[in-house]
Amino acid sequence: MAFTLQLTIHLTPTELPLVWIVDDDDDDQYFLQYAFKQALPHIKTRVLTDGLELITALEQETILPKLVLLDLNMPRKDGFEALQELRSIPDYQHLPVVVLTTSNRQEDKSKALQLGADDFMTKAAIQKEILQMIKQLAVDWQLNE
């Protein structure tokens, strides 16, 4: 008689990142994570480098992030492609996604919102502005709850 042992690990939400930063630029990743640590030290972040990595990570996790910050210009799968795929999957249709990009083009904003982004923000250039932007995101997306 053969026995199999199945081990299930349950992770609590505090053990998982609450905000995912999807951006291929090392400097932007650093500045955003630093701003979160300064403004919202209780918030955990996870960095992903492109849309393909985002979709793969979502499929592997059992607890979804509270917010995804999504850049547009990335290799393999850009922000538009990732957003379109996210919104085509029922489990991710209501996942809050804020496009955070260097673009300030109205066409990019319109396209992102049309594809299902919840908001569109242009990246701030200096750390003080990034910190303020993170604080505003915390209010808008109730990250303190």
Side-chain angles (χ1 to χ4, degrees):
M1 176 183 278
F3 292 98
T4 59
L5 176 65
Q6 184 175 9
L7 178 62
T8 304
I9 299 173
H10 296 281
L11 298 175
T12 63
T14 58
E15 294 170 343
L16 293 175
L18 295 175
V19 175
W20 289 7
I21 300 166
V22 186
D23 197 314
D24 65 317
D25 185 279
D26 293 337
D27 290 337
D28 289 339
Q29 293 169 4
Y30 172 79
F31 290 129
L32 288 168
Q33 285 186 299
Y34 183 77
F36 270 103
K37 286 178 184 170
Q38 294 296 306
L40 307 163
H42 64 286
I43 297 293
K44 294 187 180 192
T45 59
R46 177 176 181 180
V47 173
L48 305 161
T49 58
D50 62 37
L52 183 60
E53 194 174 346
L54 170 64
I55 300 297
T56 302
L58 284 169
E59 291 169 349
Q60 295 172 352
E61 295 294 343
T62 57
I63 298 174
L64 297 178
K66 193 156 185 175
L67 178 64
V68 173
L69 301 178
L70 181 66
D71 188 23
L72 292 180
N73 301 310
M74 298 177 290
R76 297 193 305 169
K77 186 175 289 213
D78 69 24
F80 291 127
E81 295 166 325
L83 191 54
Q84 186 171 12
E85 185 172 346
L86 274 178
R87 295 311 187 217
S88 72
I89 302 170
D91 288 344
Y92 310 136
Q93 288 177 349
H94 300 291
L95 180 65
V97 177
V98 173
V99 170
L100 184 59
T101 183
T102 55
S103 174
N104 59 5
R105 294 181 38 196
Q106 184 59 42
E107 299 86 14
D108 288 342
K109 180 177 182 176
S110 296
K111 183 176 180 179
L113 295 173
Q114 182 181 24
L115 289 172
D118 294 288
D119 200 357
F120 184 98
M121 300 176 79
T122 301
K123 290 178 184 173
I126 58 174
Q127 191 63 26
K128 182 178 177 183
E129 292 173 356
I130 295 171
L131 193 60
Q132 187 58 41
M133 181 185 64
I134 295 301
K135 289 177 182 178
Q136 188 60 51
L137 285 169
V139 171
D140 293 348
W141 296 101
Q142 302 167 353
L143 297 177
N144 292 318
E145 296 178 6

